[in-house]
Amino acid sequence: MEMKQIGIVGAGISGLVACKYMLSKGYDPIVFEARSRVGGVWIKNFETTTLQTTKPLYQFSDFPSQSSVTEDFPTQHQVFDHIQSYAQHFDLLKHIRFNTKVVGIEYDQVLSDEELWSWSSTAMASPLAMINGNGRFPLKTL
C-alpha cells in the first residue's frame, strides 16, 4: 500500500510532533522549513532566554529532557539542543525540506471524501496541497 503524503509547515516543536504523529499513522510527511535547521523560535533567541514554564511541563511526553538539564527553567541552548535531539532520535530529519519557505497557501476547491485521499504530487514528490478536511490548499514554496 502506498503511503499518502502530507505537507507540514515548519520544523519547530509543533511541526516535529506533527511529523512524528503522521508517520505513526502511516503517512509520508514532508515538512517545509524556511531555515537550515529544526527548532522554530528556539533557533535564534537572546542568550539569556529561558523557559517561562517549568521543565516537566515543557518536554515531549515520549522524550523527556536530558538528566544533565537540572534547571527548572532551561536556557535557550538547552531547549534548542533538546528539540534537535528529538528530531534525530525519531529520525525526522529525512522528512524535512530545509531552506524551503512556504510563501502562500491558497484555497483551491472543496473535495469529496474520495478526492481527499487521492491527491497527487509532482515528479519531485513534493505535495501540491495540504488537506484539512474541508478542501485543498495548494502550497507555494521558494
Side-chain angles (χ1 to χ4, degrees), residues 36-53:
S36 61
R37 52 192 172 165
V38 302
V41 299
W42 292 100
I43 290 174
K44 186 171 181 169
N45 229 315
F46 294 108
E47 294 283 326
T48 57
T49 300
T50 62
L51 278 179
Q52 295 177 330
T53 307

Side-chain angles (χ1 to χ4, degrees), residues 2-142:
E2 184 181 335
M3 290 178 65
K4 305 278 187 216
Q5 288 186 320
I6 189 161
I8 299 168
V9 180
I13 291 173
S14 297
L16 294 174
V17 171
C19 180
K20 182 179 172 289
Y21 179 78
M22 289 291 111
L23 284 166
S24 75
K25 296 299 179 186
Y27 289 91
D28 180 19
I30 297 175
V31 181
F32 298 97
E33 173 52 51
R35 296 180 177 175
S36 61
R37 52 192 172 165
V38 302
V41 299
W42 292 100
I43 290 174
K44 186 171 181 169
N45 229 315
F46 294 108
E47 294 283 326
T48 57
T49 300
T50 62
L51 278 179
Q52 295 177 330
T53 307
T54 59
K55 180 179 73 171
L57 297 175
Y58 196 86
Q59 62 185 352
F60 300 102
S61 60
D62 54 355
F63 192 73
S65 296
Q66 294 109 342
S67 58
S68 62
V69 177
T70 58
E71 296 86 348
D72 285 334
F73 300 93
T75 67
Q76 180 268 338
H77 292 293
Q78 291 168 324
V79 174
F80 177 67
D81 289 346
H82 187 61
I83 295 167
Q84 287 185 313
S85 295
Y86 179 86
Q88 292 168 353
H89 178 79
F90 291 106
D91 202 21
L92 303 178
L93 297 175
K94 67 184 178 186
H95 299 281
I96 302 171
R97 292 208 178 150
F98 292 104
N99 302 307
T100 306
K101 184 177 184 178
V102 174
V103 295
I105 301 173
E106 295 179 7
Y107 181 75
D108 186 45
Q109 61 184 326
V110 175
L111 302 174
S112 69
D113 287 343
E114 184 175 312
E115 288 173 313
L116 282 175
W117 302 110
S118 65
W119 62 285
S120 62
S121 60
T122 66
M124 292 178 58
S126 63
L128 292 172
M130 290 181 7
I131 305 298
N132 77 348
N134 296 322
R136 189 170 94 183
F137 296 82
L139 296 176
K140 294 179 182 176
T141 61
L142 290 178

